[in-house]
């Protein structure tokens, strides 16, 4: 029987040019319930690090390649050492092998390390995923929240790290708590100049007539691996799936809308700012059948 949780410490390769077929000597399995990190860890003190969450379906880790590419992109934005992708691929494979039947989640974490000490530090974990059946069928109620920056902020102020998947998730969690206070389940950020962005932990996809549209990544949006995979699938089915600069009002006006993420998958939006929104149950079920199938 697979363990309920799994943890693996990673000694990051010093160079991405290192050619090795086996990185097993750089991994150390640890008790996930025991202390493993220094109290000087900058990931816990300052949220100074990056991560990826990879969905696992019946032991198959979904979209490892795109997740690792995004990890490398986040590292570049945060001035962290570039991860050796083959080393991280092997770490993810070890974690996936520990996952049992059903849906699990692997987390890959790269931290700047210990203050005035060794850097960087890294680890991988695996655990059963939460049950998102209700969100995938009944949908989620969302409220639109001002992100507090305009749509050009990411290019004008790259130090805001708007396109990186960092460990600094306090703002994201605060937005979800605010949504709950307003009687909703989740939030969707809009820019201060009225441009539709993303949810705190998900990408936004709209159906406008016979077109599927997602907000363009250039506005400081974290590019969603699940959203990209879904768009590739929609293209294969002959649908139009594009990226556009969308006004905030597009969310309420769309024929249908979804929040897309690696673990929750496709959750239809059932209400926007208190106004009910129709759910396309058949299309949503089709999306999730694809997203639950093995994807590389």
């Amino acid at each position: 029987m697979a363990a309920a949780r799994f943890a693996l410490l990673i000694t990051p390769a010093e160079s991405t040019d290192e050619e090795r077929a086996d990185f097993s000597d750089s991994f150390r399995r640890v008790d996930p319930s025991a202390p493993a990190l220094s109290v000087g860890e900058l990931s816990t003190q300052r949220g100074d690090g990056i991560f990826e969450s990879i969905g696992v379906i019946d032991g198959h880790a979904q979209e490892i390649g795109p997740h690792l590419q995004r990890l490398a992109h986040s590292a570049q934005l945060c001035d962290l050492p570039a991860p050796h992708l083959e080393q991280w691929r092997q770490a993810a494979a070890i974690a996936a092998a520990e996952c049992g039947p059903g849906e699990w989640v692997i987390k890959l974490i790269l931290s700047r390390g210990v203050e005035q000490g060794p850097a960087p530090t890294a680890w991988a974990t695996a655990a059963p995923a939460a049950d998102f059946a209700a969100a995938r069928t009944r949908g989620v109620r969302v409220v639109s929240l001002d992100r507090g920056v305009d749509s050009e902020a990411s290019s004008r102020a790259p130090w805001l790290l708007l396109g990186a998947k960092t460990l600094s998730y306090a703002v994201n969690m605060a937005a979800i708590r605010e949504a709950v206070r307003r009687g909703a389940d989740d939030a969707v950020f809009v820019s201060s100049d009225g441009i539709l962005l993303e949810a705190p932990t998900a990408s936004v996809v709209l159906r406008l007539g016979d077109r599927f549209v997602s907000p363009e990544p250039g506005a400081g949006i974290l590019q969603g691996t699940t959203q990209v995979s879904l768009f590739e699938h929609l293209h294969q089915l002959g649908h139009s799936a594009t990226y556009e600069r969308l006004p905030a009002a597009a969310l309420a006006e769309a024929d249908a809308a979804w929040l897309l993420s690696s673990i929750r998958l496709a959750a239809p939006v059932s209400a926007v700012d208190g106004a009910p929104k129709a759910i396309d149950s058949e299309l949503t079920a089709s999306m999730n059948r694809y997203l639950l199938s093995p994807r590389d």
Side-chain angles (χ1 to χ4, degrees), residues 214-233:
S214 191
E216 61 181 10
I221 292 172
L222 178 71
Q223 184 78 70
T225 57
T226 305
Q227 174 267 311
V228 170
S229 180
L230 177 65
F231 271 25
E232 292 174 352
H233 176 63

Side-chain angles (χ1 to χ4, degrees), residues 43-268:
S43 61
T44 55
Q45 287 191 8
R46 300 176 182 169
D48 196 355
I50 57 175
F51 77 103
E52 284 292 321
S53 296
I54 302 175
V56 182
I57 311 296
D58 294 329
H60 183 275
Q62 305 280 60
E63 305 277 354
I64 285 183
H67 278 287
L68 293 181
Q69 290 295 335
R70 191 169 66 177
L71 185 75
H73 178 65
S74 293
Q76 181 182 28
L77 291 177
C78 295
D79 293 320
L80 285 165
H84 192 298
L85 298 189
E86 179 55 30
Q87 180 186 35
W88 286 84
R89 186 183 300 275
Q90 291 181 24
I94 291 171
E98 297 292 326
C99 297
E103 298 183 43
W104 287 57
V105 56
I106 292 172
K107 289 188 181 294
L108 305 178
I109 301 99
L110 176 62
S111 161
R112 201 169 302 277
V114 178
E115 190 167 24
Q116 299 179 347
T121 55
W123 62 99
T125 64
D131 184 359
F132 288 112
R136 294 172 189 168
T137 53
R138 295 199 293 268
V140 291
R141 300 162 298 171
V142 305
V143 293
S144 53
L145 297 180
D146 188 345
R147 194 175 219 168
V149 295
D150 63 64
S151 58
E152 303 299 326
S154 61
S155 57
R156 188 178 64 253
W159 51 85
L160 294 177
L161 304 178
L162 294 175
K165 194 172 180 67
T166 74
L167 293 170
S168 304
Y169 254 47
V171 170
N172 304 60
M173 298 301 99
I176 293 175
R177 291 195 299 272
E178 178 62 23
V180 172
R181 278 192 288 269
R182 298 187 186 193
D185 306 300
D186 210 332
V188 172
F189 288 127
V190 299
S191 68
S192 58
D193 54 343
I195 300 301
L196 185 65
L197 299 174
E198 61 190 343
T201 63
S203 304
V204 175
V205 172
L206 309 181
R207 181 170 64 80
L208 307 176
D210 59 357
R211 300 185 302 121
F212 293 89
V213 182
S214 191
E216 61 181 10
I221 292 172
L222 178 71
Q223 184 78 70
T225 57
T226 305
Q227 174 267 311
V228 170
S229 180
L230 177 65
F231 271 25
E232 292 174 352
H233 176 63
L234 291 172
H235 282 142
Q236 292 173 354
L237 295 177
H239 296 292
S240 170
T242 60
Y243 301 91
E244 296 179 14
R245 183 180 176 88
L246 296 165
L251 179 62
E253 295 170 355
D255 297 293
W258 296 264
L259 300 188
L260 269 288
S261 59
S262 298
I263 312 304
R264 188 168 53 182
L265 304 183

